[in-house]
Amino acid sequence: HGGCRRGGRGSGGHGSLDKSITLPPDEIFRNLENAKRFAIDIGGSLTKLAYYSTVQHKVARVRSFDHSGKDIENEPLYEISVQEEITARLHFIKFENNYIETCLDFIKDHLVNTETQVIKATGGGAYKFKDLIEKKLGLKVDKEDVMTCLIKGCNFLLRNIPHEVFAYQKDSDTEFRFQTNHPNIFPYLLVNIGSGVSIVKVESEDKFEWIGGSSIGGGTFWGLGALLTKTKKFDELLQLASKGQHTNVDMLVKDVYGGACQTLGLSGNLIASSFGKSTTADKEFSKEDMAKSLLHMISNDIGQLACLYAKLHNLDKIYFGGFFIRGHPVTMRTITFSINFFSKGEVQALFLRHEGYLGAIGAFLKGAEQDNPNQYSWGENYAGSSGLMSTSPDVYPMQRTRSGTFDMFEMDRLERPLVNLPLLKDPSTYIPDTVDLTDDAMARKYWLTCFEEALDGVAKRAAASQPDSVDAPERAEKFRQKYWNKLQTLRQQPFAYGTLTVRSLLDTREHCLNEFNFPDPYSKVKQKENGIALKCFQSVIESLDSLGWEERQFALVKGLLAGNVFDWGAKAVSDVLECEPQFGFEEAKSKLQGIGGRSVVLVRSGYCINKREGPPHKCALIFADNSGIDIILGVFPFVRELLSRGTEVILACNSGPALNDVTYSESLIVAERIAAMDPVIHSSLHMEFLICVYYCLKSATRSKVQRMIHFNYDKKYRKQFLIIFNSIRISFLS
């Protein structure tokens, strides 16, 4: 069943559909055969469908061999197995109401295991299409309050999606300025611009109140626009507005005063009277100019109203949503200007990447309350999400047409609940990425090119990692095509998934690999590298122990830098590793560029060599990077040195695979094997002076965080806490 055919049948008085659409189930209604629960939000022109499904995928696991009584010289370090795992996924799909009957037919044909007899529904169309939905799906429609659903959906996104929120700055190099999520999302003002305007103050998960609104909203723009331009479609009106020049229709301050009004502090270019010139000019105005003037009039009115309510209730966060926004740059720019002008820069207009899904998410959550989705952490699945698309009419028309018809958003339930690292002074200002590729065009071009050039190698590595699978080459090619398409989208729209970083590019690649059942293509490479590095560990330690104190500190830091060279994410190194597998640790140290002396190494690392004087650091938190030489010959000797001084160490590793990065489960085995060789590591593990934890960059799992807090952390030692990021960046927590 490759797609939906033409829906030409009349049904329930809703008319016939004259559109033919193709809906490949693997692209639009993904995993529909495993859908368990549904919700729907039907607005005036768009339908948003939500459903929960179970997804079966492969997961790479490592397990230590029992080496007792065996000659382990030629034995693998640990066993690698691939297991099937079932996880939960939330799917959200947005499409035009014109397609609703055809889509309902498609869903009905593919439903197999649904657990529910009820579909939660919200939005004005929930009443209009109630009979059609019940007839097509055989599910009872249970209608939910629109505002409650919007608030629930907004809270859910603010808690779970990093860089969900952005400010729009049209005239800057980066139009979309994404915000870092604050642990405390309340209170805030939600301005929902539908046919009219609703302004809601949200104080907690269950406490919110409607505090005001206006009858002048999106319906006003649509209705007056239709009368003025004879254009009936909302998107076409916005396209006209984007091409118009409002100053041909609006009367400005300078038209009244002959320039700026200095007494009142008003710029001459401010609008004094919307449509003011139409009373005196003896000419016809263009549709574009009238649409632009109308858009400014309504947006400015809404912006001033929202600003006044925010000041009245002492709120500095205003989120805008509703069909009037829909990611249109002209609308966001006008509202942003209005808020900034009337608040004198004290209040910021904020928008949401997925604001169109708020109602559908909220309706779904209402129907899933017995499962308590809020007890879990959820993350965006980039492989199954369309991303924030530019709707400027002259930019990327192919993508715009695609997203204007169907838009997808997926969230996966994470294995463990995540919380912010409690040691951060202010989690809302902590940025784990060193380069913002959304902002830095040269860096963006460089990194996107690197990922493109490495793609064939990753696809080959993925296929080679499953030699017993007949379809591995075919799946690897599908992965290659999908990730390539994602990279091309990000070249044109770097803001598609929030702030673009090297980390998000890696995350997207891992999501695409998982999509085609390649859970850890580098698992055997890491296994081999770890085995080789372990054989060198004792000789490296003996060499370090033979040095004087100061020489040893220099050698340790240089070892950290040299070990970090072994990063499969670095293109210049990956070629060497492919053709010279015996490329050694000592050679890496000798080939390090830019290290001409001790001062360079110590300045780059930030490591304080004078720490010999005075008490040792109370605790060191080390975020490890690569497997093999990096963690075993670079990080662990440094860990050993800190432990020898009496500094407790927390070694944090990735919770899941990313190229040759060491994972938490691998680090446990590596630590166990090193402990068998080294008494310092052995006793520290036993006494819990050294513990291994997993992390998700700016988040950590709740249970491990509690151990870290209890790990003799005390505020009086705050300046004695050493943090090491990615093996080579060291700084003191202040």
Side-chain angles (χ1 to χ4, degrees), residues 178-244:
F178 292 96
Q179 312 284 304
T180 302
N181 288 6
H182 196 284
N184 184 12
I185 64 175
F186 305 109
Y188 65 84
L189 201 67
L190 178 63
V191 180
N192 189 59
I193 314 172
S195 299
V197 180
S198 292
I199 301 178
V200 183
K201 178 183 178 182
V202 185
E203 297 182 78
S204 69
E205 186 65 44
D206 300 309
K207 186 180 180 183
F208 57 88
E209 63 173 321
W210 184 90
I211 57 174
S214 172
S215 61
I216 301 173
T220 314
F221 173 70
W222 200 346
L224 283 178
L227 291 173
L228 289 168
T229 68
K230 309 304 179 187
T231 300
K232 296 293 185 183
K233 292 189 176 181
F234 187 81
D235 282 339
E236 289 179 10
L237 266 176
L238 283 168
Q239 286 186 39
L240 287 174
S242 69
K243 297 174 182 176

Side-chain angles (χ1 to χ4, degrees), residues 35-108:
K36 308 295 182 186
R37 188 176 289 115
F38 286 87
I40 197 165
D41 174 17
I42 308 175
S45 60
L46 293 173
T47 295
K48 286 78 68 177
L49 179 73
Y51 61 95
Y52 158 90
S53 77
T54 52
V55 181
Q56 188 167 341
H57 63 98
K58 291 181 173 16
V59 179
R61 301 290 186 199
V62 297
R63 184 171 62 89
S64 182
F65 283 120
D66 180 10
H67 293 294
S68 57
K70 295 182 181 177
D71 176 12
I72 62 172
E73 183 67 25
N74 298 312
E75 287 285 324
L77 176 61
Y78 46 79
E79 178 186 13
I80 302 170
S81 63
V82 176
Q83 301 171 8
E84 295 286 344
E85 219 175 60
I86 294 177
T87 57
R89 177 172 290 172
L90 301 180
H91 306 255
F92 305 99
I93 304 161
K94 182 166 57 180
F95 52 88
E96 296 168 15
N97 287 353
N98 292 333
Y99 298 141
I100 189 167
E101 186 174 350
T102 311
C103 289
L104 290 174
D105 281 334
F106 186 82
I107 293 167
K108 179 183 177 183

Side-chain angles (χ1 to χ4, degrees), residues 573-692:
V573 176
S574 63
D575 295 338
V576 177
L577 288 169
E578 285 282 10
C579 63
E580 292 184 56
Q582 299 304 317
F583 184 66
F585 184 51
E586 293 304 319
E587 291 173 273
K589 286 195 285 187
S590 66
K591 292 184 180 182
L592 276 174
Q593 295 182 356
I595 297 181
R598 306 177 195 192
S599 59
V600 178
V601 175
L602 296 176
V603 167
R604 284 186 61 186
S605 67
Y607 181 57
C608 181
I609 200 164
N610 293 326
K611 197 59 193 171
R612 186 177 190 178
E613 301 172 4
H617 297 99
K618 182 65 180 177
C619 185
L621 172 59
I622 303 179
F623 291 83
D625 193 359
N626 309 299
S627 293
I629 288 174
D630 188 3
I631 188 169
I632 294 171
L633 303 185
V635 173
F636 261 99
F638 191 86
V639 167
R640 180 178 179 271
E641 180 73 13
L642 293 173
L643 292 167
S644 298
R645 296 184 197 176
T647 299
E648 297 160 339
V649 177
I650 301 166
L651 184 61
C653 301
N654 281 8
S655 56
L659 291 176
N660 74 323
D661 285 5
V662 62
T663 64
Y664 167 68
S665 53
E666 291 162 348
S667 73
L668 293 178
I669 296 173
V670 166
E672 171 194 307
R673 291 295 301 275
I674 290 177
M677 293 185 276
D678 188 271
V680 175
I681 301 295
H682 181 273
S683 62
S684 298
L685 278 174
H686 179 70
M687 300 292 292
E688 291 199 335
F689 287 160
L690 167 63
I691 62 171
C692 299

Side-chain angles (χ1 to χ4, degrees), residues 11 35 39 62 112 122 139 145 222 285 368 371 387 390 400 403 530 566 589 715:
S11 176
V62 297
V112 179
T122 189
L139 302 175
D145 174 68
W222 200 346
F285 295 101
D371 296 330
S390 170
R400 185 175 184 277
S403 67
N530 286 332
F566 287 81
K589 286 195 285 187
K715 285 187 177 179

Side-chain angles (χ1 to χ4, degrees), residues 519-594:
D520 191 356
Y522 289 81
S523 58
K524 288 187 170 61
V525 174
K526 292 186 288 182
Q527 180 193 47
K528 181 180 178 182
E529 288 181 354
N530 286 332
I532 292 171
L534 275 169
K535 293 177 182 178
C536 304
F537 178 78
Q538 284 181 306
S539 62
V540 169
I541 294 300
E542 289 171 4
S543 174
L544 288 167
D545 286 347
S546 68
L547 300 174
W549 193 90
E550 188 170 321
E551 287 293 328
R552 188 167 70 253
Q553 309 314 303
F554 174 73
L556 284 164
V557 175
K558 193 172 182 181
L560 280 173
L561 294 169
N564 196 252
V565 164
F566 287 81
D567 189 336
W568 283 79
K571 183 181 182 299
V573 176
S574 63
D575 295 338
V576 177
L577 288 169
E578 285 282 10
C579 63
E580 292 184 56
Q582 299 304 317
F583 184 66
F585 184 51
E586 293 304 319
E587 291 173 273
K589 286 195 285 187
S590 66
K591 292 184 180 182
L592 276 174
Q593 295 182 356

Side-chain angles (χ1 to χ4, degrees), residues 35 43 46 49 54 164 168 296 345 351 361 369-370 401 439 456 463 494 544 587 613 621 694 698 706 720:
L46 293 173
L49 179 73
T54 52
E164 172 64 27
Y168 186 76
H296 274 290
F351 305 92
I361 294 171
E369 284 179 341
Q370 68 268 32
T401 302
D439 196 37
D456 285 345
L544 288 167
E587 291 173 273
E613 301 172 4
L621 172 59
Y694 39 78
K698 66 180 288 186
Q706 297 305 320
Q720 298 279 315

Side-chain angles (χ1 to χ4, degrees), residues 116-311:
T116 182
Q117 299 302 311
V118 175
I119 180 169
K120 291 287 184 179
T122 189
Y127 299 89
K128 179 180 178 182
F129 291 99
K130 175 180 180 293
D131 293 340
L132 179 66
I133 295 168
E134 291 186 340
K135 177 183 175 183
K136 291 289 184 183
L137 299 184
L139 302 175
K140 181 181 181 296
V141 172
D142 186 8
K143 295 186 286 292
E144 291 289 343
D145 174 68
V146 173
M147 198 52 63
T148 301
C149 291
L150 287 173
I151 301 300
K152 277 189 169 292
C154 189
N155 293 343
F156 188 76
L157 289 177
L158 292 176
R159 276 196 310 269
N160 287 284
I161 302 295
H163 300 150
E164 172 64 27
V165 178
F166 65 90
Y168 186 76
Q169 298 173 312
K170 174 63 178 175
D171 298 320
S172 68
D173 292 336
T174 306
E175 292 180 46
F176 299 85
R177 290 283 179 183
F178 292 96
Q179 312 284 304
T180 302
N181 288 6
H182 196 284
N184 184 12
I185 64 175
F186 305 109
Y188 65 84
L189 201 67
L190 178 63
V191 180
N192 189 59
I193 314 172
S195 299
V197 180
S198 292
I199 301 178
V200 183
K201 178 183 178 182
V202 185
E203 297 182 78
S204 69
E205 186 65 44
D206 300 309
K207 186 180 180 183
F208 57 88
E209 63 173 321
W210 184 90
I211 57 174
S214 172
S215 61
I216 301 173
T220 314
F221 173 70
W222 200 346
L224 283 178
L227 291 173
L228 289 168
T229 68
K230 309 304 179 187
T231 300
K232 296 293 185 183
K233 292 189 176 181
F234 187 81
D235 282 339
E236 289 179 10
L237 266 176
L238 283 168
Q239 286 186 39
L240 287 174
S242 69
K243 297 174 182 176
Q245 181 57 259
H246 76 96
T247 55
N248 293 332
V249 183
D250 294 340
M251 188 177 290
L252 307 182
V253 168
K254 64 184 178 184
D255 297 322
V256 178
Y257 294 101
C261 182
Q262 302 291 347
T263 307
L264 299 177
L266 299 177
S267 163
N269 291 320
L270 288 176
I271 299 172
S273 174
S274 296
F275 289 92
K277 289 181 180 177
S278 63
T279 61
T280 56
D282 186 21
K283 65 174 183 178
E284 291 289 325
F285 295 101
S286 72
K287 293 180 179 180
E288 290 82 359
D289 291 347
M290 288 190 292
K292 186 64 165 285
S293 175
L294 181 61
L295 181 66
H296 274 290
M297 181 181 78
I298 291 170
S299 297
N300 282 330
D301 184 66
I302 294 170
Q304 182 176 25
L305 195 63
C307 183
L308 290 172
Y309 274 108
K311 286 195 165 187

